[in-house]
Structure formats: structure tokens, C-alpha cells
Amino acid sequence: ARALRLVSFCEIAGHEVGAYARDLDFAGMHVETMFVRALNAIFARNRLLRSARADRGETSFFAVKPGSGCRLTGYEDSRTRFLGEGSLAKPTGCEPWRARKTDDEGKLWTFDPAASFTLEVEIAAHGVAEAEFVIGRSDNAVWAAELVAERLGLPQIAEVDLEERIY
């Protein structure tokens, strides 16, 4: 078997890649991000549309379900931290020692939201490994959590538990 590292990257703000550089208002819009370990998901909420409750405020999400032979080892919620000193073609922030660890759960703040997951993959000769990724947007974090859990076949998170993780 051979150990490999798979790193995903997703712009979760719902705009093309160059929008951050051209529009400062847009660049600062989505600043509230949360990693929810039970769902292997990063949620992002518009700071201008959020509420003190998880059942309010449009929420974007990016989640992963590691398949057989895969293990989630890290994540990142910031485009700048992901890129590091590199570029989208050759990011340096996705090095194993730089990724956020999966026990770093809860609310984070970034002015350049993105989502990245780092998976360790064990593949035998001529073998196959799979990981399923889900991206989307919902009217609120509760519905987003329900969508992720349903799509990835994970247990639902009670609203009170989700609010505890977020707040």
C-alpha cells in the first residue's frame, strides 16, 4: 500500500476567483466560518446577514466524507492561509504541518473564505480510494447541517449541539 495526501480546495463565497481583488466590499462580506467535525464540514455565513441563532442567516457549506482507506487530517478556511507563499497552482499552505487540525472546531473568522480538506489516503497497488465532497448553500446553518448529514449519510446534529459549536 502507498500513503498519499489528497488536498481539496473550494471557493465557498459564491463568486469567481478574482472577485476578492476587485471588490473590497465583497472581500470582507463572508467572514464568519465554522468547522463542524461531526459533519466534516466548513460553514460560512455573511456577517451582515447572520443572527445570534443557527436557524437564521444564509449559510454556504463544503463538506467531505472520506471513503475506505481515507482519513481527514486537516482543513483550512482561509484562501490566504491555503495559498501561503504560493499560488492556486502551487499552494504552500496545504502542507501537512500548516493545515488546521480537525480538533480545532468551532467559529473562525476570515476575510478571504475558502475551504480545503486534507485527506491521508492508503492505496494498494491497482487499488481505488474514494472521497465524496458536497458544496452548497442553505437559508440557515441548521438546514445546511441537515443537508450535509443527509447527503453524506452521517448522523444529524441536534440544533442545540450545532449552536454550541457555532457560538
Side-chain angles (χ1 to χ4, degrees):
R2 183 174 177 192
L4 302 170
R5 193 166 38 94
L6 171 68
V7 179
S8 63
F9 180 78
C10 176
E11 299 277 1
I12 57 175
H15 212 300
E16 76 270 8
V17 174
Y20 298 103
R22 290 190 313 276
D23 185 344
L24 293 179
D25 288 334
F26 181 79
M29 184 184 304
H30 290 80
V31 297
E32 182 181 44
T33 59
M34 293 80 58
F35 175 66
V36 179
R37 176 66 176 108
L39 297 174
N40 295 336
I42 296 172
F43 295 141
R45 297 188 343 158
N46 183 327
R47 67 178 171 84
L48 301 176
L49 300 177
R50 70 179 172 84
S51 166
R53 295 173 38 183
D55 66 347
R56 305 257 167 99
E58 183 180 281
T59 303
S60 298
F61 57 87
F62 184 55
V64 61
K65 181 178 181 181
S68 178
C70 296
R71 183 173 67 93
L72 179 61
T73 60
Y75 74 95
E76 187 51 70
D77 74 321
S78 165
R79 186 175 204 272
T80 301
R81 282 180 45 102
F82 174 80
L83 295 177
E85 296 78 34
S87 65
L88 276 176
K90 192 170 182 175
T92 61
C94 62
E95 296 300 321
W97 56 274
R98 290 184 68 166
R100 294 183 193 274
K101 303 300 177 209
T102 58
D103 60 355
D104 183 7
E105 183 179 33
K107 187 182 289 191
L108 303 166
W109 295 93
T110 176
F111 290 92
D112 56 350
S116 171
F117 294 113
T118 301
L119 302 170
E120 284 185 2
V121 182
E122 289 283 331
I123 300 180
H126 307 291
V128 174
E130 293 183 9
E132 184 174 353
F133 295 90
V134 176
I135 184 172
R137 187 173 294 165
S138 180
D139 287 343
N140 60 64
V142 173
W143 291 353
E146 290 172 357
L147 286 168
V148 169
E150 180 180 329
R151 181 66 175 99
L152 297 181
L154 299 169
Q156 296 281 338
I157 294 178
E159 184 173 343
V160 67
D161 293 336
L162 181 63
E163 285 192 11
E164 183 178 307
R165 286 174 168 89
I166 293 174
Y167 301 107

